[in-house]
Amino acid sequence: DISHFYFVDLFTLCMSRRGKPGTPEKKLHYENRLMQLLHWCRSMLVLQTGEAGSEQLQRVRRSIAGRGVLLLGKNTTIRSILHRHRNDLDLQHVPISNLVPLISGKIGLVFVEDSDPSDVQDIVVGVTAMTRARAGKVAQSPLMVRAGCTGLEPARTSFFSAMNVSTRIQRGIIQIESDVVIVPEGGTVCATAEKLFNNLGVFPVVVRLECVAGVEEGRIVDGRVYRDVKTVDLRSKMRGAARMVAHVGAGLGVPTTSGAVAVIDEALESIAALSLAVG
């Protein structure tokens, strides 16, 4: 039961210590929790958490409850634990030597048992938050200001002029005349843009977790597979390919597995027609 891993039996953890002598108690608890999840899961997702805050991460946990378990931690700690258990015979389904290089930066691990990892990835990526624009950061999506009242006094029009944002003064308040993209996708946020967004009190940056890789059946799967290739698409293409094989086989008079259903249907129709003819 997935819920078991939200409430770890501390007595069991203490009795099954596997860390180095002198390791702090919290690290021993973390190591046992990680090892329990590694033994339990059938697949796993490696996430880059980036600038995600604690509130957003809690929403991710709640969103995947019943499908998977999110575990956070320092990448150095996780790598150290994996190195110590790289020869564990019970972890043959986890390619530790290939997994360790992926554990870098701010990461999180999602352990999945029975659910489709692609579905879990969609849920995780769908949990977003908004944050401030910071100078020097690359925009993952266009950052823009919306038309309307800014609540700012006319003395601050210089910020808008510097960013080519057309404005007008109405009742002593600056009004933006139309939506304007301040930083295009892939562009770098400058100091003036950062100050403009801060003055407007706008949080234009969308923060979401990114799946960089997955582990399935003892192999590493590129994270782009979960983003770009969906189970529904695969099934549709497989059905289309099976129909094509069946048609080609029928045209050549060669029996195929995919055409078996059509052959059986045709045989039943012949039998029914013969029965009616005989009376």
Side-chain angles (χ1 to χ4, degrees):
D1 180 6
I2 290 177
S3 61
H4 165 75
F5 295 99
Y6 289 104
F7 306 97
V8 181
D9 186 339
L10 294 181
F11 176 76
T12 302
L13 293 177
C14 291
M15 294 300 291
S16 60
R17 294 180 182 180
R18 302 179 65 178
K20 296 179 180 179
T23 304
E25 197 75 11
K26 288 184 178 180
K27 288 187 177 180
L28 290 173
H29 291 171
Y30 184 86
E31 179 169 351
N32 278 276
R33 179 176 173 79
L34 175 58
M35 296 310 300
Q36 282 184 329
L37 289 170
L38 283 172
H39 283 89
W40 164 78
C41 75
R42 294 185 181 179
S43 56
M44 180 172 60
L45 300 175
V46 181
L47 308 174
Q48 281 288 346
T49 59
E51 298 182 2
S54 58
E55 189 273 337
Q56 183 179 358
L57 294 171
Q58 287 298 330
R59 286 194 287 123
V60 170
R61 281 198 173 95
R62 291 194 295 269
S63 298
I64 64 173
R67 295 173 178 264
V69 178
L70 172 63
L71 182 69
L72 303 170
K74 292 183 177 179
N75 59 62
T76 52
T77 301
I78 296 174
R79 285 202 302 268
S80 177
I81 293 171
L82 292 176
H83 274 303
R84 285 202 295 275
H85 294 271
R86 61 185 179 277
N87 296 321
D88 192 332
L89 296 178
D90 294 331
L91 291 178
Q92 296 300 315
H93 63 293
V94 181
I96 291 179
S97 59
N98 295 327
L99 178 61
V100 170
L102 300 173
I103 309 298
S104 62
K106 296 181 179 180
I107 64 119
L109 302 176
V110 173
F111 300 89
V112 183
E113 186 182 26
D114 295 324
S115 300
D116 186 338
S118 181
D119 293 340
V120 176
Q121 189 269 164
D122 289 344
I123 295 172
V124 170
V125 173
V127 179
T128 62
M130 305 302 292
T131 188
R132 294 181 183 277
R134 293 182 175 85
K137 294 287 186 178
V138 176
Q140 302 302 317
S141 59
L143 308 184
M144 61 190 305
V145 292
R146 301 288 183 181
C149 178
T150 65
L152 300 178
E153 298 175 353
R156 298 192 178 185
T157 53
S158 58
F159 290 113
F160 297 95
S161 299
M163 301 305 298
N164 296 319
V165 178
S166 59
T167 60
R168 68 174 184 273
I169 307 301
Q170 185 173 348
R171 296 181 181 180
I173 300 295
I174 298 174
Q175 301 275 341
I176 298 176
E177 294 185 333
S178 60
D179 295 349
V180 180
V181 175
I182 303 299
V183 183
E185 182 176 355
T188 303
V189 179
C190 64
T192 305
E194 178 186 11
K195 199 163 187 177
L196 174 63
F197 286 121
N198 289 342
N199 284 335
L200 292 173
V202 174
F203 297 81
V205 180
V206 179
V207 179
R208 56 167 52 89
L209 279 66
E210 179 187 1
C211 178
V212 296
V215 177
E216 290 189 54
E217 300 178 354
R219 59 190 176 86
I220 300 293
V221 180
D222 193 301
R224 288 174 294 184
V225 173
Y226 299 113
R227 295 193 296 271
D228 302 334
V229 181
K230 302 302 178 186
T231 303
V232 174
D233 298 333
L234 287 175
R235 288 173 181 168
S236 176
K237 291 185 181 296
M238 289 296 291
R239 284 196 295 267
R243 285 194 295 269
M244 183 176 293
V245 171
H247 289 317
V248 172
L252 296 175
V254 177
T256 61
T257 303
S258 56
V261 175
V263 172
I264 292 172
D265 286 343
E266 186 177 345
L268 291 173
E269 289 176 1
S270 299
I271 292 172
L274 181 61
S275 299
L276 291 173
V278 173

